[in-house]
Amino acid sequence: MIPFNKPYFTGLETTYIKEAVSSGKISGDGIFSKKCHNFFEQKFQFSKVLLTTSCTDALEMAAILIDLKPGDEVIMPSYTFVSTANAFVLRGAKIIFADSHEDHPGIDESKIESLITEKTKAIVPVHYAGVACDMDFIMSVATKYNLFVIEDAAQAIDSYYKGKPLGSFGHLAAFSFHETKNIISGEGGLLVVNDERFMKRAEIIREKGTNRSAFFRGEVDKYGWVDVGSSFLPSDIIAAFLYAQLENLDTIQTRRKEIWKRYDDAFRGHLDVKFGVRLPYLPDSATNNAHMYYLVVQNAKERKALLAYLKKENILSVFHYLSLHKSKYYEPFHDNRNLVQSDHYSNCLIRLPLYYELTENEQKHIVDTIFAFYKGI
Ligand SMILES: *Cc1c(COP(=O)(O)O)cnc(C)c1O
């Protein structure tokens, strides 16, 4: 069976974990957490980063940081992962879901302004498949209405918009190192704080509402309870694992991009032209970090048949995201607007296997199988 995803280990993870263990300090913010923080600050010029136990946690921290109150409204795409919305719903926010673009699953920026009311507090763009939203446009709308922007950059490590790394545009941004992402630590995440106003408080919220981080730096002589918060920081064992991955970021990215390009070279000009299958679209302003290769087929029936056909050939492809505005939990709160594109992606998008160790032969088998399916219908 060719799995949909296979976590890649660089080989140094266990070495670094042993180092972390023998250092005698395995709680949060140890040696490896610092190495990871430095890595992100140097490689991507993020001014302040904090490792978290997941992207979900980083988003929850963002919701606390912007002082979200019950009844506040947050605008985001409906075609996204549950956590994008749930992190804000936990603080009592009402989610105003926006539709996706016709030519790619990212939020349709042109719809945002009409959804803004006096209760709107934030916009949460999701860089779907690591492909940048139009951040110039989103930031200008946010400035005009005095809103916060929190980038859900879960899939967007090492991806750029007009030459600048994703995660550096919003007031805050959240990355994921879940084992299905490009760079992994099993579970794990990162909060990027771009707005200085949030830098001190982010540390406090992450440390159970205490000023322990400042205490460890010797800035205060004792630490105590100063704000709300939770335990959002990962153990240094997780950071050790993550650091082994980060050191190999370029190798991992190069490989993923090769695999991505092989799919694209095989399909473009054929599947799209002859069979009406839509292929990933990249705006000129965005780079490709090869997080995902997806196909958008014409209808749900075709998708079901293609997935079954692939499975019969021992290939595990998947789809994801059911429009959140139609989810069991959120449908009763949604304002009845139809989100046609979001539903279309929910019904018609397929993700193909893409992982470091996918061999050329395996990939050829996947490509051949997909062509065989289309020639047969
Ligand atoms: C993976 C993902 C998340 C959640 O990340 P975790 O680290 O698992 O919490 C959130 N948003 C998007 C768009 C994702 O792809």
Side-chain angles (χ1 to χ4, degrees):
M1 201 73 178
I2 301 177
F4 163 67
N5 179 58
K6 190 173 163 202
Y8 169 64
F9 307 113
T10 69
L12 274 175
E13 288 83 354
T14 43
T15 310
Y16 289 168
I17 287 172
K18 274 188 197 143
E19 258 183 60
V21 170
S22 51
S23 81
K25 184 185 184 292
I26 54 167
S27 57
D29 285 340
I31 314 165
F32 282 99
S33 300
K34 292 200 179 77
K35 282 182 195 274
C36 292
H37 287 167
N38 287 340
F39 178 92
F40 284 107
E41 291 171 0
Q42 273 159 27
K43 169 94 183 166
F44 301 115
Q45 307 290 307
F46 296 145
S47 37
K48 174 86 182 166
V49 295
L50 292 166
L51 288 185
T52 57
T53 48
S54 64
C55 176
T56 303
D57 269 358
L59 291 166
E60 285 179 26
M61 284 182 68
I64 298 173
L65 279 167
I66 63 166
D67 263 327
L68 207 61
K69 298 281 185 313
D72 287 347
E73 294 178 359
V74 177
I75 299 171
M76 65 180 64
S78 175
Y79 190 71
T80 183
F81 188 62
V82 174
S83 294
T84 317
N86 194 63
F88 299 91
V89 167
L90 275 175
R91 310 240 72 79
K94 179 165 171 45
I95 309 299
I96 308 297
F97 288 113
D99 208 354
S100 295
H101 278 278
E102 192 176 345
D103 50 11
H104 70 97
I107 188 168
D108 183 346
E109 294 86 355
S110 71
K111 301 275 162 62
I112 293 175
E113 196 162 358
S114 66
L115 300 175
I116 293 173
T117 70
E118 56 195 27
K119 289 186 180 158
T120 308
K121 187 93 188 240
I123 305 170
V124 186
V126 179
H127 304 300
Y128 184 83
V131 177
C133 298
D134 185 345
M135 292 314 294
D136 281 350
F137 184 85
I138 291 173
M139 294 313 294
S140 74
V141 172
T143 305
K144 182 170 167 195
Y145 294 93
N146 198 22
L147 306 176
F148 291 114
V149 173
I150 296 146
E151 297 175 69
D152 182 338
Q155 307 174 0
I157 193 167
D158 196 34
S159 203
Y160 299 78
Y161 171 78
K162 299 187 178 172
K164 210 178 148 200
L166 296 183
S168 55
F169 293 90
H171 301 83
L172 297 155
F175 287 89
S176 173
F177 311 119
H178 183 262
E179 78 167 31
T180 52
K181 307 300 202 262
N182 292 26
I183 294 293
I184 62 174
S185 60
E187 304 282 350
L190 184 81
L191 178 74
V192 180
V193 186
N194 294 314
D195 187 319
E196 266 188 44
R197 287 175 291 174
F198 296 133
M199 288 181 187
K200 280 228 164 78
R201 193 166 178 233
E203 285 186 344
I204 290 167
I205 286 167
R206 178 168 165 271
E207 272 280 21
K208 303 99 185 161
T210 74
N211 54 352
R212 185 148 78 173
S213 300
F215 172 71
F216 281 141
R217 283 196 301 266
E219 292 165 17
V220 290
D221 57 9
K222 55 180 182 297
Y223 78 87
W225 188 10
V226 296
D227 201 335
V228 295
S230 190
S231 186
F232 289 120
L233 76 174
S235 142
D236 217 48
I237 297 174
I238 300 283
F241 189 108
L242 181 65
Y243 191 64
Q245 296 263 319
L246 292 174
E247 277 190 328
N248 285 280
L249 173 71
D250 291 339
T251 322
I252 292 170
Q253 292 296 84
T254 303
R255 181 58 167 268
R256 292 187 71 102
K257 284 177 194 170
E258 278 165 20
I259 297 171
W260 195 99
K261 185 167 182 299
R262 244 185 267 143
Y263 276 134
D264 207 56
D265 287 347
F267 295 142
R268 207 166 289 270
H270 304 285
L271 272 193
D272 45 351
V273 174
K274 293 184 200 134
F275 304 107
V277 174
R278 280 165 44 205
L279 304 174
Y281 168 81
L282 282 161
D284 289 339
S285 52
T287 60
N288 175 25
N289 73 344
H291 173 60
M292 191 193 300
Y293 200 91
Y294 64 84
L295 309 174
V296 186
V297 304
Q298 286 178 306
N299 54 57
K301 196 166 150 244
E302 180 180 326
R303 178 171 75 178
K304 196 169 168 213
L306 177 55
L307 286 174
Y309 193 89
L310 287 163
K311 198 160 180 197
K312 221 174 71 234
E313 289 293 325
N314 293 321
I315 299 159
L316 213 68
S317 252
V318 299
F319 60 87
H320 62 168
Y321 304 159
L322 303 170
S323 290
L324 292 182
H325 72 286
K326 287 197 170 163
S327 61
K328 180 170 177 240
Y329 178 67
Y330 215 80
E331 193 174 27
F333 306 110
H334 178 66
D335 53 24
N336 285 326
R337 275 171 306 119
N338 254 329
L339 303 176
V340 179
Q341 298 305 333
S342 179
D343 290 346
H344 186 66
Y345 293 113
S346 292
N347 290 327
C348 302
L349 187 140
I350 290 186
R351 304 174 64 184
L352 301 182
L354 200 174
Y355 51 88
Y356 191 98
E357 289 169 272
L358 186 68
T359 66
E360 235 177 294
N361 271 340
E362 286 169 331
Q363 203 178 0
K364 186 169 180 306
H365 178 55
I366 297 166
V367 168
D368 290 348
T369 303
I370 291 171
F371 276 115
F373 171 81
Y374 279 103
K375 282 176 187 143
I377 59 173

